[in-house]
Amino acid sequence: MKRACFKEFFAVISLSLFLIPFSLGLQISEVMPDCGNVTANCEFVEFYSPEKADLQGYVLDTQGQKLKLNGSIQGYLVITKHNSAFLEQFGIFEGSVLEWKGMGLVNGGDTIALIYQNQTIDSFSYASSKKNSSWQLLQEWKECSPTPLKENMCQEAHSPPSRTAPE
């Protein structure tokens, strides 16, 4: 009886590994919900993958607002509400930046999820945000000065938000 359960367990695990594409480290790496200006058009979500990852079939979900991703990523990808506001705020545009006018991050708390075939691959939740700061994934999530399209670095730690595990 134990052997049959053991075989079923590994069959389910093997099937899961086959159905969910492992993206070689694709993750949400930085989130900036509050740009500190009235329009908030420079808010962004940043993804990072050390290896080339195909984005076909992935969806970015910000509290029910969904963006179907496509193309591929190696390194950083920023999804911002407005390209020109992002450029004006940060003065950089090297790397990959995608405009999504439908994006809206709630300053008082939100959940951002990376979904593939209706399964959450990565997600991040925060209860609040400070103007002109971003949540960055280092060894834990910290609220710091934004570093879009660059390696995260932070000198001041704030209380970390909750991070939900993939389902």
Side-chain angles (χ1 to χ4, degrees):
M1 187 71 168
K2 288 183 182 179
R3 181 164 268 189
C5 291
F6 191 68
K7 285 181 181 179
E8 287 177 16
F9 172 76
F10 278 106
V12 169
I13 295 297
S14 297
L15 182 59
S16 295
L17 293 175
F18 178 75
L19 292 176
I20 299 173
F22 281 94
S23 53
L24 303 174
L26 177 63
Q27 63 185 7
I28 300 167
S29 59
E30 187 172 356
V31 176
M32 183 171 183
D34 189 350
C35 295
N37 61 30
V38 177
T39 61
N41 284 332
C42 65
E43 62 189 29
F44 68 84
V45 174
E46 178 188 78
F47 295 99
Y48 177 74
S49 179
E51 303 291 330
K52 187 171 184 175
D54 183 9
L55 297 175
Q56 193 67 33
Y58 283 89
V59 174
L60 170 62
D61 185 338
T62 60
Q63 290 292 350
Q65 300 171 356
K66 297 182 180 186
L67 173 66
K68 291 181 181 180
L69 302 173
N70 57 38
S72 63
I73 174 180
Q74 182 170 4
Y76 297 98
L77 170 65
V78 165
I79 298 175
T80 185
K81 189 167 188 169
H82 201 279
N83 283 348
S84 61
F86 179 84
L87 178 61
E88 183 180 322
Q89 180 80 11
F90 300 108
I92 54 172
F93 214 69
E94 66 237 18
S96 300
V97 178
L98 174 67
E99 183 176 83
W100 178 28
K101 292 190 185 282
M103 180 173 72
L105 301 175
V106 180
N107 298 345
D110 208 341
T111 297
I112 295 97
L114 179 62
I115 299 168
Y116 183 81
Q117 294 184 351
N118 297 318
Q119 292 197 23
T120 301
I121 304 302
D122 192 17
S123 66
F124 168 69
S125 296
Y126 59 95
S128 64
S129 62
K130 294 182 179 177
K131 289 182 180 186
N132 296 313
S133 68
S134 68
W135 287 103
Q136 297 179 25
L137 179 59
L138 297 156
Q139 292 189 1
E140 61 182 17
W141 283 95
K142 296 181 181 180
E143 197 169 15
C144 315
S145 295
T147 60
L149 300 170
K150 297 178 184 172
E151 183 178 350
N152 291 345
M153 58 179 65
C154 183
Q155 296 188 10
E156 249 183 75
H158 299 274
S159 58
S162 63
R163 179 158 182 101
T164 53
E167 298 173 353

